[in-house]
Amino acid sequence: MSGRDGFIARLFRSWIPRTPRESSEAVVRNIWLHAFPARITKRSLSWLASGWLGTASLHLFIVLCLTGGVLMFLYVPSVERAYESVKDIEFVVSFGAWIRGTHRVAAHLMVVAVVLHLVRVFLTGAYKKEGAPGAHRPLNWCVGLALLVLTFGLSFTGYLLPWDQLAYWAVTVGTQIAAAAPLVGEQLRDLLLGGTVVGQPTLLRFYVLHCFVLPALTIFLVAWHMWRIRKDGGLAVADRVAEDAREQAAITPPPPGKTYTLMGTTPGGTVQASSSAGLIEQASTPSVPAVPRRTMAVFLAVLALCSVLGLLLHAPLEEPANPAVTPNPAKAPWYFLWLQELVSILTFRIGSFVVDGTLVGGILLPGVLIGALGAWPYIDKSPASAAGVWFHPSRKVQNRVFLLLLFACVVLTIIGMYFRGPYWAWTWPWGEHASHPTLT
Ligand code: HEM
């Protein structure tokens, strides 16, 4: 075959393998498929096992990188030009408003997807140490927690960039909470802001963090997270498949005292023994094309959702940032509103003495929460068989406490969004002083 024929043939060649052997070869030969194992259990593939929420989080991050890459050609990180450049993106650049809208929608959805992914992993106990030799899922859970913090960091640093009133005051509120941290709070705030107030050094720092440092760290940690999943023997639900296979093989051993035929030439009976390896084989399927197909389906769904919502939901742009005019109330980004609400609940007056809740509500409680989450895989004493199973009875109490805390965070967020008016006083969403939720 001539080189040209070979090239054309390769262009139109179907990448879909026709035999299990071709599937395994695809994993070895193709760089894009190299991340997948040769075989995967059918239960891991199921939509219900994981909701594919981790994959959706990753794809939202990819959409953010793509749209953010385009925005970087147009955005200018200077207090004189930032607002105008965003206005140009919004009103002058072709498809600018759509790209900006898609970027913002993807940022919000990523926060939601990552939190839901954490909830799924917790409720299925998928952080327990088990699986292949060398498996250590608690480590991957901690890598995941670091990714959660990075996701908040990415969203928060992007918040300031439009340099409008909303951005300026949301970041002011957020960094005021950070400044209440004991010992290092003030230094942390100064390091973030490049001074004591939000200004040009802050914008530049947030820009560098948002566009380079935090995405680079996220890429590194996501790669580590994915690699750990392979090292841990796949998803925790795959361990259940292996255990079921071992149990089934144990209850159907070869009949005792059997004599064996020699290819039918001597008398005796054939053995009907089932091995656990054979049963696992039956319960699994080649990864290619099943996993790339589902991964693509999730990516297309994520891309379509972000593009449509980016078109329909207008990304807000308020008046240019004005340090002299404080909006009342000044609200943190929505995913930090539960913290702002906690701070307000824990700030009260005893006579003329005001107890400031910033330290307890804004730093200590969330710090304890993150610390407890990080330590939980090591504290949780439920049996290994509970890993990878939704709502396993042995995990009833911890699941309930976890869901209760989650519910409290959601309620506090909703109160902060809809029920707080000027001076953080209680307001009904339909009342005179209702402030509109800032989903920005
Ligand atoms: C940027 C954020 C994150 C990305 C891109 C990500 C990605 C993924 C992906 C693709 C999977 C495979 C299963 C699935 O699709 O759901 C996975 C599994 C896992 N993730 Fe994440 N993840 C992130 C954050 C987190 C967080 C916040 C946690 C927990 C604190 C976490 C802990 C885990 C664990 C323990 C597994 C293994 C689950 C199992 O064995 O069933 N991840 N992650």
Side-chain angles (χ1 to χ4, degrees):
M1 201 192 305
S2 79
R4 195 160 162 268
D5 287 348
F7 175 71
I8 290 171
R10 269 206 303 276
L11 265 189
F12 292 99
R13 186 184 61 179
S14 165
W15 63 274
I16 300 171
R18 282 157 301 185
T19 60
R21 189 194 163 95
E22 275 185 18
S23 284
S24 312
E25 277 178 2
V27 169
V28 177
R29 289 192 184 158
N30 187 317
I31 186 166
W32 302 109
L33 305 177
H34 217 62
F36 304 123
R39 291 184 74 81
I40 184 163
T41 61
K42 290 174 192 159
R43 258 200 255 174
S44 304
L45 271 181
S46 126
W47 294 102
L48 283 182
S50 67
W52 287 67
L53 287 160
T55 310
S57 310
L58 175 58
H59 291 166
L60 284 163
F61 179 65
I62 294 173
V63 171
L64 282 164
C65 291
L66 294 176
T67 47
V70 177
L71 293 175
M72 274 177 77
F73 282 102
L74 306 158
Y75 177 79
V76 186
S78 100
V79 292
E80 284 87 27
R81 302 273 313 279
Y83 182 79
E84 295 305 325
S85 64
V86 175
K87 217 168 174 182
D88 282 350
I89 293 171
E90 196 63 33
F91 299 107
V92 181
V93 176
S94 312
F95 303 111
W98 183 33
I99 293 171
R100 178 167 173 249
T102 305
H103 190 74
R104 290 184 90 104
V105 164
H108 295 308
L109 288 182
M110 184 169 168
V111 172
V112 176
V114 172
V115 171
L116 287 179
H117 173 54
L118 183 151
V119 172
R120 186 291 281 180
V121 173
F122 191 92
L123 294 180
T124 54
Y127 47 65
K128 292 188 74 75
K129 185 176 188 312
E130 230 205 316
H136 193 68
R137 290 216 178 87
L139 173 61
N140 212 14
W141 166 263
C142 293
V143 175
L145 274 184
L147 280 168
L148 176 76
V149 174
L150 278 177
T151 305
F152 285 132
L154 275 166
S155 208
F156 186 61
T157 48
Y159 214 92
L160 184 67
L161 303 187
W163 202 250
D164 62 351
Q165 276 291 74
L166 196 70
Y168 185 90
W169 289 101
V171 169
T172 303
V173 171
T175 45
Q176 268 167 4
I177 294 179
L183 304 176
V184 292
E186 305 259 310
Q187 285 84 343
L188 186 70
R189 191 221 23 223
D190 293 356
L191 190 73
L192 264 178
L193 299 189
T196 49
V197 290
V198 177
Q200 174 62 54
T202 322
L203 184 60
L204 199 56
R205 281 168 197 220
F206 273 46
Y207 177 74
V208 173
L209 284 172
H210 184 73
C211 299
F212 304 102
V213 179
L214 300 183
L217 281 174
T218 306
I219 291 169
F220 170 72
L221 285 187
V222 166
W224 191 11
H225 198 55
M226 300 293 102
W227 179 71
R228 281 290 346 153
I229 294 174
R230 290 290 304 275
K231 293 287 285 180
D232 294 342
L235 298 190
V237 71
D239 298 349
R240 302 285 62 76
V241 175
E243 197 180 279
D244 289 354
R246 276 194 297 271
E247 273 171 17
Q248 210 178 325
I251 47 179
T252 50
K258 198 89 179 149
T259 55
Y260 299 96
T261 95
L262 188 62
M263 302 188 82
T265 55
T266 61
T270 48
V271 179
Q272 299 294 320
S274 41
S275 75
S276 60
L279 290 170
I280 294 173
E281 175 100 2
Q282 274 171 32
S284 65
T285 182
S287 297
V288 182
V291 182
R293 260 191 192 149
R294 277 174 203 230
T295 309
M296 276 313 288
V298 175
F299 181 69
L300 291 178
V302 161
L303 190 62
L305 185 69
C306 294
S307 312
V308 171
L309 290 182
L311 206 59
L312 297 179
L313 303 178
H314 194 67
L317 188 63
E318 292 195 351
E319 294 295 304
N322 186 350
V325 179
T326 316
N328 190 3
K331 292 189 177 183
W334 66 268
Y335 40 83
F336 287 152
L337 276 180
W338 61 285
L339 287 179
Q340 200 175 353
E341 189 56 33
L342 266 179
V343 169
S344 117
I345 291 170
L346 294 168
T347 301
F348 51 91
R349 188 180 279 274
I350 308 174
S352 59
F353 184 69
V354 177
V355 177
D356 186 356
T358 316
L359 174 64
V360 178
I363 303 290
L364 294 184
L365 275 179
V368 167
L369 211 63
I370 292 273
L373 277 175
W376 200 252
Y378 303 94
I379 296 171
D380 177 1
K381 292 286 174 263
S382 59
S385 57
V389 181
W390 281 99
F391 302 107
H392 193 275
S394 67
R395 311 184 71 250
K396 202 191 282 180
V397 177
Q398 51 183 302
N399 281 346
R400 281 187 185 165
V401 173
F402 177 80
L403 286 174
L404 204 70
L405 287 174
L406 184 73
F407 181 69
C409 291
V410 173
V411 170
L412 290 177
T413 306
I414 292 174
I415 293 177
M417 278 167 85
Y418 295 101
F419 295 86
R420 291 299 180 185
Y423 304 103
W424 211 253
W426 186 272
T427 326
W428 295 106
W430 51 88
E432 195 190 340
H433 295 298
S435 64
H436 296 291
T438 48
L439 264 186
T440 51

